[in-house]
Amino acid sequence: MLNLVLFGPPGSGKGTQSALLIDKYNLVHLSTGDILRGEIAAGTALGLEAKSLMDKGDLVPDSVVIGMIKSKLENNPDAKGFIFDGFPRTTAQAEALDTLLAELNTAISGMLSLQVDDEELSKRLLLRGKDSGRADDQDENIIRNRIKEYNNKTLPLKEFYGAQNKLQEIEGVGSIEEINQKLCTAIDNL
Ligand code: B4P
């Protein structure tokens, strides 16, 4: 199986690039952000709990997102592989993912980390906020908090995957097509 972690700060292009990669490599796309927004749209109890945190730019509790990923893995027994987009975001999530994949006799093939500076991230998110309707894309303070959460809780995962020799750094500024080419080259060399 080809199991990829697409990694990077908010607005680095994870969702954008995942959409291109799932077609090329025939993978199942698992975006915890998309799943959570689906729960909010459906008005579930989980969605209600998540909304107040997401609107502030805080992370949702590990137990919630790990449970979501577990059920998605169980519901896709015939997948050729997965792209994990926006997951894991904490060390506890990364450890849980390793355990879940080991139970399926598979593992993460590689972590592709998109590098984008903070100024470009804010610019992209505010631009998307003009028509996404997402509260977390419309306010500079909330965007700053999302980047802070990333730096504090998510960035350490580079060391986690680096220690497993699975980290690949990719320049995330440039055209979507150029970045996609770099990602494909890295994936083909895994
Ligand atoms: P996500 O949905 O993961 O939000 P994101 O990081 O903003 O999305 P992404 O990074 O995929 O957006 P993209 O760059 O593609 O998470 C939202 C919230 O959900 C989190 O803050 C948290 O509260 C919660 N959450 C999700 N997962 C969680 C977890 N595992 N644990 C705890 N909480 C969790 O797109 C950004 C914009 O840039 C787009 O408009 C795009 O068009 C543009 N863009 C992309 N590539 C570009 C390029 N090359 N040049 C110019 N613009 C580009």
Side-chain angles (χ1 to χ4, degrees):
M1 278 173 97
L2 179 64
N3 298 309
L4 305 170
V5 172
L6 198 50
F7 188 80
S12 56
K14 302 182 297 285
T16 306
Q17 295 295 335
S18 293
L20 301 173
L21 295 173
I22 46 168
D23 286 343
K24 180 164 160 84
Y25 294 97
N26 203 6
L27 302 173
V28 174
H29 182 200
L30 296 184
S31 158
T32 39
D34 287 351
I35 301 168
L36 289 165
R37 283 185 287 276
E39 296 282 341
I40 292 171
T44 65
L46 191 159
L48 269 180
E49 182 191 352
K51 187 176 184 330
S52 59
L53 294 163
M54 290 168 77
D55 282 354
K56 287 187 284 183
D58 290 343
L59 292 185
V60 172
D62 288 336
S63 57
V64 171
V65 282
I66 292 167
M68 286 178 349
I69 288 290
K70 185 172 189 287
S71 82
K72 292 286 174 187
L73 291 175
E74 287 166 357
N75 291 341
N76 286 282
D78 300 324
K80 290 207 162 75
F82 295 91
I83 291 194
F84 298 95
D85 162 6
F87 180 91
R89 264 177 154 99
T90 63
T91 304
Q93 292 180 22
E95 287 168 349
L97 180 60
D98 276 357
T99 305
L100 289 172
L101 291 176
E103 283 165 9
L104 300 173
N105 292 317
T106 186
I108 290 298
S109 316
M111 179 218 233
L112 306 164
S113 170
L114 293 166
Q115 313 289 312
V116 179
D117 61 81
D118 289 1
E119 203 183 322
E120 171 74 12
L121 296 174
S122 291
K123 212 170 69 190
R124 287 184 190 179
L125 293 173
L126 287 169
L127 190 68
R128 181 172 68 183
K130 286 186 182 161
D131 46 33
S132 70
R134 280 175 58 172
D136 62 343
D137 281 348
Q138 293 177 25
D139 180 302
E140 274 187 75
N141 288 325
I142 296 171
I143 290 174
R144 227 170 281 132
N145 186 44
R146 290 165 67 187
I147 295 173
K148 193 173 116 219
E149 286 273 90
Y150 172 81
N151 286 332
N152 289 342
K153 298 178 181 166
T154 309
L155 205 50
L157 294 187
K158 276 204 211 179
E159 277 175 42
F160 182 92
Y161 288 101
Q164 298 184 13
N165 263 330
K166 291 179 179 169
L167 168 65
Q168 302 255 9
E169 307 259 19
I170 311 281
E171 171 63 53
V173 181
S175 74
I176 288 168
E177 180 52 33
E178 277 164 8
I179 297 161
N180 182 248
Q181 279 305 321
K182 287 183 206 164
L183 287 168
C184 291
T185 303
I187 294 167
D188 294 341
N189 288 330
L190 280 176

PDB file of all heavy atoms in Angstrom, residues 48-75:
ATOM      1  N   LEU A  48     -20.943  19.884  16.546  1.00  0.00           N
ATOM      2  CA  LEU A  48     -21.166  21.030  17.450  1.00  0.00           C
ATOM      3  C   LEU A  48     -19.957  21.261  18.344  1.00  0.00           C
ATOM      4  O   LEU A  48     -19.526  22.401  18.550  1.00  0.00           O
ATOM      5  CB  LEU A  48     -22.385  20.753  18.332  1.00  0.00           C
ATOM      6  CG  LEU A  48     -23.725  21.236  17.801  1.00  0.00           C
ATOM      7  CD1 LEU A  48     -24.826  20.880  18.790  1.00  0.00           C
ATOM      8  CD2 LEU A  48     -23.691  22.751  17.567  1.00  0.00           C
ATOM      9  N   GLU A  49     -19.403  20.157  18.859  1.00  0.00           N
ATOM     10  CA  GLU A  49     -18.234  20.251  19.737  1.00  0.00           C
ATOM     11  C   GLU A  49     -17.045  20.809  18.948  1.00  0.00           C
ATOM     12  O   GLU A  49     -16.312  21.685  19.415  1.00  0.00           O
ATOM     13  CB  GLU A  49     -17.883  18.860  20.296  1.00  0.00           C
ATOM     14  CG  GLU A  49     -16.700  18.887  21.254  1.00  0.00           C
ATOM     15  CD  GLU A  49     -16.163  17.497  21.609  1.00  0.00           C
ATOM     16  OE1 GLU A  49     -16.783  16.484  21.246  1.00  0.00           O
ATOM     17  OE2 GLU A  49     -15.088  17.450  22.244  1.00  0.00           O
ATOM     18  N   ALA A  50     -16.879  20.315  17.711  1.00  0.00           N
ATOM     19  CA  ALA A  50     -15.725  20.713  16.910  1.00  0.00           C
ATOM     20  C   ALA A  50     -15.830  22.173  16.472  1.00  0.00           C
ATOM     21  O   ALA A  50     -14.821  22.883  16.420  1.00  0.00           O
ATOM     22  CB  ALA A  50     -15.612  19.804  15.678  1.00  0.00           C
ATOM     23  N   LYS A  51     -17.033  22.629  16.157  1.00  0.00           N
ATOM     24  CA  LYS A  51     -17.193  23.959  15.559  1.00  0.00           C
ATOM     25  C   LYS A  51     -16.615  25.064  16.438  1.00  0.00           C
ATOM     26  O   LYS A  51     -15.902  25.950  15.952  1.00  0.00           O
ATOM     27  CB  LYS A  51     -18.670  24.247  15.271  1.00  0.00           C
ATOM     28  CG  LYS A  51     -18.874  25.554  14.499  1.00  0.00           C
ATOM     29  CD  LYS A  51     -20.314  25.780  14.131  1.00  0.00           C
ATOM     30  CE  LYS A  51     -20.549  27.011  13.273  1.00  0.00           C
ATOM     31  NZ  LYS A  51     -19.696  28.142  13.402  1.00  0.00           N
ATOM     32  N   SER A  52     -16.901  24.987  17.738  1.00  0.00           N
ATOM     33  CA  SER A  52     -16.453  26.076  18.611  1.00  0.00           C
ATOM     34  C   SER A  52     -14.924  26.129  18.655  1.00  0.00           C
ATOM     35  O   SER A  52     -14.333  27.211  18.755  1.00  0.00           O
ATOM     36  CB  SER A  52     -17.039  25.911  20.016  1.00  0.00           C
ATOM     37  OG  SER A  52     -16.631  24.679  20.536  1.00  0.00           O
ATOM     38  N   LEU A  53     -14.289  24.960  18.561  1.00  0.00           N
ATOM     39  CA  LEU A  53     -12.813  24.931  18.573  1.00  0.00           C
ATOM     40  C   LEU A  53     -12.253  25.389  17.236  1.00  0.00           C
ATOM     41  O   LEU A  53     -11.317  26.199  17.171  1.00  0.00           O
ATOM     42  CB  LEU A  53     -12.333  23.502  18.881  1.00  0.00           C
ATOM     43  CG  LEU A  53     -12.682  23.004  20.289  1.00  0.00           C
ATOM     44  CD1 LEU A  53     -12.556  21.491  20.385  1.00  0.00           C
ATOM     45  CD2 LEU A  53     -11.776  23.679  21.312  1.00  0.00           C
ATOM     46  N   MET A  54     -12.817  24.876  16.148  1.00  0.00           N
ATOM     47  CA  MET A  54     -12.302  25.211  14.810  1.00  0.00           C
ATOM     48  C   MET A  54     -12.472  26.699  14.505  1.00  0.00           C
ATOM     49  O   MET A  54     -11.602  27.318  13.895  1.00  0.00           O
ATOM     50  CB  MET A  54     -13.011  24.369  13.749  1.00  0.00           C
ATOM     51  CG  MET A  54     -12.610  22.907  13.806  1.00  0.00           C
ATOM     52  SD  MET A  54     -13.658  21.844  12.808  1.00  0.00           S
ATOM     53  CE  MET A  54     -13.019  22.179  11.162  1.00  0.00           C
ATOM     54  N   ASP A  55     -13.597  27.265  14.942  1.00  0.00           N
ATOM     55  CA  ASP A  55     -13.834  28.693  14.670  1.00  0.00           C
ATOM     56  C   ASP A  55     -12.801  29.579  15.360  1.00  0.00           C
ATOM     57  O   ASP A  55     -12.557  30.710  14.944  1.00  0.00           O
ATOM     58  CB  ASP A  55     -15.252  29.098  15.106  1.00  0.00           C
ATOM     59  CG  ASP A  55     -16.297  28.646  14.098  1.00  0.00           C
ATOM     60  OD1 ASP A  55     -15.904  28.135  13.027  1.00  0.00           O
ATOM     61  OD2 ASP A  55     -17.505  28.809  14.375  1.00  0.00           O
ATOM     62  N   LYS A  56     -12.189  29.068  16.427  1.00  0.00           N
ATOM     63  CA  LYS A  56     -11.141  29.837  17.130  1.00  0.00           C
ATOM     64  C   LYS A  56      -9.751  29.519  16.583  1.00  0.00           C
ATOM     65  O   LYS A  56      -8.768  30.147  16.965  1.00  0.00           O
ATOM     66  CB  LYS A  56     -11.150  29.484  18.630  1.00  0.00           C
ATOM     67  CG  LYS A  56     -12.329  30.051  19.392  1.00  0.00           C
ATOM     68  CD  LYS A  56     -12.189  29.807  20.889  1.00  0.00           C
ATOM     69  CE  LYS A  56     -12.503  28.380  21.242  1.00  0.00           C
ATOM     70  NZ  LYS A  56     -12.467  28.031  22.647  1.00  0.00           N
ATOM     71  N   GLY A  57      -9.680  28.469  15.759  1.00  0.00           N
ATOM     72  CA  GLY A  57      -8.371  28.055  15.242  1.00  0.00           C
ATOM     73  C   GLY A  57      -7.647  27.094  16.165  1.00  0.00           C
ATOM     74  O   GLY A  57      -6.450  26.867  16.007  1.00  0.00           O
ATOM     75  N   ASP A  58      -8.384  26.528  17.141  1.00  0.00           N
ATOM     76  CA  ASP A  58      -7.785  25.536  18.046  1.00  0.00           C
ATOM     77  C   ASP A  58      -7.922  24.139  17.452  1.00  0.00           C
ATOM     78  O   ASP A  58      -8.837  23.887  16.654  1.00  0.00           O
ATOM     79  CB  ASP A  58      -8.515  25.539  19.409  1.00  0.00           C
ATOM     80  CG  ASP A  58      -8.238  26.804  20.208  1.00  0.00           C
ATOM     81  OD1 ASP A  58      -7.262  27.512  19.879  1.00  0.00           O
ATOM     82  OD2 ASP A  58      -9.016  27.078  21.142  1.00  0.00           O
ATOM     83  N   LEU A  59      -7.076  23.227  17.898  1.00  0.00           N
ATOM     84  CA  LEU A  59      -7.214  21.842  17.457  1.00  0.00           C
ATOM     85  C   LEU A  59      -8.376  21.169  18.182  1.00  0.00           C
ATOM     86  O   LEU A  59      -8.688  21.497  19.339  1.00  0.00           O
ATOM     87  CB  LEU A  59      -5.924  21.050  17.724  1.00  0.00           C
ATOM     88  CG  LEU A  59      -4.686  21.436  16.905  1.00  0.00           C
ATOM     89  CD1 LEU A  59      -3.542  20.470  17.218  1.00  0.00           C
ATOM     90  CD2 LEU A  59      -4.972  21.456  15.414  1.00  0.00           C
ATOM     91  N   VAL A  60      -8.986  20.213  17.506  1.00  0.00           N
ATOM     92  CA  VAL A  60     -10.053  19.381  18.066  1.00  0.00           C
ATOM     93  C   VAL A  60      -9.363  18.268  18.877  1.00  0.00           C
ATOM     94  O   VAL A  60      -8.233  17.885  18.537  1.00  0.00           O
ATOM     95  CB  VAL A  60     -10.890  18.828  16.881  1.00  0.00           C
ATOM     96  CG1 VAL A  60     -11.897  17.793  17.314  1.00  0.00           C
ATOM     97  CG2 VAL A  60     -11.563  19.991  16.132  1.00  0.00           C
ATOM     98  N   PRO A  61     -10.002  17.744  19.959  1.00  0.00           N
ATOM     99  CA  PRO A  61      -9.309  16.730  20.785  1.00  0.00           C
ATOM    100  C   PRO A  61      -8.848  15.507  19.980  1.00  0.00           C
ATOM    101  O   PRO A  61      -9.525  15.058  19.057  1.00  0.00           O
ATOM    102  CB  PRO A  61     -10.377  16.330  21.803  1.00  0.00           C
ATOM    103  CG  PRO A  61     -11.301  17.491  21.874  1.00  0.00           C
ATOM    104  CD  PRO A  61     -11.307  18.115  20.509  1.00  0.00           C
ATOM    105  N   ASP A  62      -7.695  14.978  20.386  1.00  0.00           N
ATOM    106  CA  ASP A  62      -7.114  13.812  19.710  1.00  0.00           C
ATOM    107  C   ASP A  62      -8.106  12.653  19.620  1.00  0.00           C
ATOM    108  O   ASP A  62      -8.221  12.010  18.567  1.00  0.00           O
ATOM    109  CB  ASP A  62      -5.872  13.313  20.488  1.00  0.00           C
ATOM    110  CG  ASP A  62      -4.683  14.257  20.335  1.00  0.00           C
ATOM    111  OD1 ASP A  62      -4.635  14.997  19.333  1.00  0.00           O
ATOM    112  OD2 ASP A  62      -3.802  14.248  21.215  1.00  0.00           O
ATOM    113  N   SER A  63      -8.813  12.381  20.732  1.00  0.00           N
ATOM    114  CA  SER A  63      -9.702  11.210  20.748  1.00  0.00           C
ATOM    115  C   SER A  63     -10.750  11.301  19.638  1.00  0.00           C
ATOM    116  O   SER A  63     -11.121  10.302  19.028  1.00  0.00           O
ATOM    117  CB  SER A  63     -10.382  11.087  22.115  1.00  0.00           C
ATOM    118  OG  SER A  63     -11.074  12.286  22.380  1.00  0.00           O
ATOM    119  N   VAL A  64     -11.209  12.521  19.360  1.00  0.00           N
ATOM    120  CA  VAL A  64     -12.250  12.710  18.339  1.00  0.00           C
ATOM    121  C   VAL A  64     -11.702  12.380  16.957  1.00  0.00           C
ATOM    122  O   VAL A  64     -12.281  11.578  16.206  1.00  0.00           O
ATOM    123  CB  VAL A  64     -12.780  14.173  18.372  1.00  0.00           C
ATOM    124  CG1 VAL A  64     -13.702  14.456  17.197  1.00  0.00           C
ATOM    125  CG2 VAL A  64     -13.479  14.454  19.693  1.00  0.00           C
ATOM    126  N   VAL A  65     -10.565  12.977  16.602  1.00  0.00           N
ATOM    127  CA  VAL A  65     -10.046  12.777  15.235  1.00  0.00           C
ATOM    128  C   VAL A  65      -9.491  11.356  15.047  1.00  0.00           C
ATOM    129  O   VAL A  65      -9.642  10.771  13.974  1.00  0.00           O
ATOM    130  CB  VAL A  65      -9.002  13.837  14.820  1.00  0.00           C
ATOM    131  CG1 VAL A  65      -9.669  15.122  14.452  1.00  0.00           C
ATOM    132  CG2 VAL A  65      -7.953  14.063  15.838  1.00  0.00           C
ATOM    133  N   ILE A  66      -8.915  10.783  16.093  1.00  0.00           N
ATOM    134  CA  ILE A  66      -8.395   9.402  15.967  1.00  0.00           C
ATOM    135  C   ILE A  66      -9.567   8.443  15.712  1.00  0.00           C
ATOM    136  O   ILE A  66      -9.497   7.576  14.840  1.00  0.00           O
ATOM    137  CB  ILE A  66      -7.591   9.003  17.230  1.00  0.00           C
ATOM    138  CG1 ILE A  66      -6.294   9.823  17.302  1.00  0.00           C
ATOM    139  CG2 ILE A  66      -7.275   7.509  17.230  1.00  0.00           C
ATOM    140  CD1 ILE A  66      -5.556   9.751  18.640  1.00  0.00           C
ATOM    141  N   GLY A  67     -10.667   8.656  16.430  1.00  0.00           N
ATOM    142  CA  GLY A  67     -11.855   7.817  16.225  1.00  0.00           C
ATOM    143  C   GLY A  67     -12.392   7.945  14.803  1.00  0.00           C
ATOM    144  O   GLY A  67     -12.788   6.951  14.183  1.00  0.00           O
ATOM    145  N   MET A  68     -12.371   9.165  14.268  1.00  0.00           N
ATOM    146  CA  MET A  68     -12.860   9.384  12.897  1.00  0.00           C
ATOM    147  C   MET A  68     -11.997   8.638  11.894  1.00  0.00           C
ATOM    148  O   MET A  68     -12.496   7.993  10.974  1.00  0.00           O
ATOM    149  CB  MET A  68     -12.816  10.890  12.552  1.00  0.00           C
ATOM    150  CG  MET A  68     -13.894  11.698  13.232  1.00  0.00           C
ATOM    151  SD  MET A  68     -13.847  13.485  12.898  1.00  0.00           S
ATOM    152  CE  MET A  68     -12.340  13.778  12.101  1.00  0.00           C
ATOM    153  N   ILE A  69     -10.684   8.731  12.059  1.00  0.00           N
ATOM    154  CA  ILE A  69      -9.762   8.081  11.109  1.00  0.00           C
ATOM    155  C   ILE A  69      -9.896   6.565  11.207  1.00  0.00           C
ATOM    156  O   ILE A  69      -9.929   5.859  10.198  1.00  0.00           O
ATOM    157  CB  ILE A  69      -8.301   8.531  11.386  1.00  0.00           C
ATOM    158  CG1 ILE A  69      -8.096   9.980  10.941  1.00  0.00           C
ATOM    159  CG2 ILE A  69      -7.285   7.617  10.711  1.00  0.00           C
ATOM    160  CD1 ILE A  69      -8.106  10.221   9.426  1.00  0.00           C
ATOM    161  N   LYS A  70     -10.037   6.063  12.443  1.00  0.00           N
ATOM    162  CA  LYS A  70     -10.185   4.612  12.635  1.00  0.00           C
ATOM    163  C   LYS A  70     -11.393   4.106  11.848  1.00  0.00           C
ATOM    164  O   LYS A  70     -11.304   3.121  11.111  1.00  0.00           O
ATOM    165  CB  LYS A  70     -10.370   4.318  14.130  1.00  0.00           C
ATOM    166  CG  LYS A  70     -10.419   2.853  14.483  1.00  0.00           C
ATOM    167  CD  LYS A  70     -10.402   2.695  16.017  1.00  0.00           C
ATOM    168  CE  LYS A  70     -10.233   1.269  16.458  1.00  0.00           C
ATOM    169  NZ  LYS A  70     -11.395   0.433  16.266  1.00  0.00           N
ATOM    170  N   SER A  71     -12.510   4.812  11.949  1.00  0.00           N
ATOM    171  CA  SER A  71     -13.697   4.305  11.254  1.00  0.00           C
ATOM    172  C   SER A  71     -13.552   4.444   9.736  1.00  0.00           C
ATOM    173  O   SER A  71     -13.997   3.588   8.991  1.00  0.00           O
ATOM    174  CB  SER A  71     -14.979   4.943  11.796  1.00  0.00           C
ATOM    175  OG  SER A  71     -15.186   6.179  11.217  1.00  0.00           O
ATOM    176  N   LYS A  72     -12.859   5.479   9.254  1.00  0.00           N
ATOM    177  CA  LYS A  72     -12.639   5.606   7.799  1.00  0.00           C
ATOM    178  C   LYS A  72     -11.734   4.488   7.291  1.00  0.00           C
ATOM    179  O   LYS A  72     -11.947   3.953   6.206  1.00  0.00           O
ATOM    180  CB  LYS A  72     -11.997   6.963   7.455  1.00  0.00           C
ATOM    181  CG  LYS A  72     -12.916   8.148   7.691  1.00  0.00           C
ATOM    182  CD  LYS A  72     -13.999   8.238   6.627  1.00  0.00           C
ATOM    183  CE  LYS A  72     -14.983   9.346   6.975  1.00  0.00           C
ATOM    184  NZ  LYS A  72     -16.141   9.387   6.081  1.00  0.00           N
ATOM    185  N   LEU A  73     -10.714   4.117   8.071  1.00  0.00           N
ATOM    186  CA  LEU A  73      -9.835   3.022   7.649  1.00  0.00           C
ATOM    187  C   LEU A  73     -10.629   1.722   7.576  1.00  0.00           C
ATOM    188  O   LEU A  73     -10.497   0.947   6.625  1.00  0.00           O
ATOM    189  CB  LEU A  73      -8.649   2.873   8.622  1.00  0.00           C
ATOM    190  CG  LEU A  73      -7.612   3.994   8.613  1.00  0.00           C
ATOM    191  CD1 LEU A  73      -6.578   3.772   9.722  1.00  0.00           C
ATOM    192  CD2 LEU A  73      -6.899   4.084   7.266  1.00  0.00           C
ATOM    193  N   GLU A  74     -11.486   1.512   8.583  1.00  0.00           N
ATOM    194  CA  GLU A  74     -12.284   0.269   8.610  1.00  0.00           C
ATOM    195  C   GLU A  74     -13.279   0.224   7.456  1.00  0.00           C
ATOM    196  O   GLU A  74     -13.596  -0.844   6.951  1.00  0.00           O
ATOM    197  CB  GLU A  74     -13.035   0.169   9.953  1.00  0.00           C
ATOM    198  CG  GLU A  74     -12.103  -0.177  11.106  1.00  0.00           C
ATOM    199  CD  GLU A  74     -12.723   0.046  12.494  1.00  0.00           C
ATOM    200  OE1 GLU A  74     -13.878   0.527  12.574  1.00  0.00           O
ATOM    201  OE2 GLU A  74     -12.029  -0.231  13.479  1.00  0.00           O
ATOM    202  N   ASN A  75     -13.740   1.414   7.031  1.00  0.00           N
ATOM    203  CA  ASN A  75     -14.757   1.456   5.961  1.00  0.00           C
ATOM    204  C   ASN A  75     -14.158   1.373   4.564  1.00  0.00           C
ATOM    205  O   ASN A  75     -14.905   1.408   3.585  1.00  0.00           O
ATOM    206  CB  ASN A  75     -15.587   2.749   6.063  1.00  0.00           C
ATOM    207  CG  ASN A  75     -16.468   2.742   7.288  1.00  0.00           C
ATOM    208  OD1 ASN A  75     -16.718   1.676   7.836  1.00  0.00           O
ATOM    209  ND2 ASN A  75     -16.908   3.914   7.728  1.00  0.00           N
TER     210      ASN A  75
END
